[in-house]
Amino acid sequence: MVRGCVGFRLVDPETAELKRMFVDPVARGTGGGAALLAAAEEAAVSLGASAIRLDTRADLVEARALYARHGYREVPPFNDDRYAEHWFGKRLSGSFGSRMTGVRSLT
């Protein structure tokens, strides 16, 4: 059974943007969000990205804490999405091991 998913896109050759991340409520608190975030970062690096960014809502407190724990810092707004209230960015290193695709599920 799938317990979560993550997706990103390349906005330019060096910048990835995390578009969606979801962890089933029954799987939250088990490290699944961190694993999905790491998988997205690894996949972005494998496609040439050196930075990743995302936007999120103010009410997603746990998600914002997850991003902060994993090195994301608040940045100035980079879009005018009607639901975006916080913007984050992170520099990525090329030290990830295997190559992956831009979508990953948590089972």
Side-chain angles (χ1 to χ4, degrees):
M1 174 176 283
V2 174
R3 294 290 183 195
C5 61
V6 65
F8 71 92
R9 68 183 183 126
L10 290 176
V11 293
D12 64 47
E14 297 179 355
T15 309
E17 185 174 0
L18 195 69
K19 293 305 295 174
R20 298 285 183 266
M21 187 163 79
F22 174 79
V23 177
D24 187 323
V26 301
R28 291 180 186 166
T30 65
L36 288 170
L37 190 59
E41 292 173 359
E42 180 177 352
V45 166
S46 78
L47 296 174
S50 59
I52 191 166
R53 68 186 192 185
L54 63 93
D55 64 66
T56 191
R57 300 185 331 237
D59 64 316
L60 298 177
V61 176
E62 294 87 354
R64 292 188 355 249
L66 173 72
Y67 303 137
R69 278 194 311 275
H70 290 274
Y72 287 76
R73 300 293 174 249
E74 290 219 39
V75 298
F78 53 80
N79 65 25
D80 59 358
D81 185 296
R82 64 189 276 188
Y83 299 108
E85 298 167 309
H86 292 272
W87 295 262
F88 289 86
K90 178 180 177 179
R91 301 296 304 166
L92 298 172
S93 71
S95 63
F96 294 108
S98 64
R99 297 170 85 75
M100 303 178 140
T101 63
V103 178
R104 174 100 187 233
S105 66
L106 175 65
T107 55

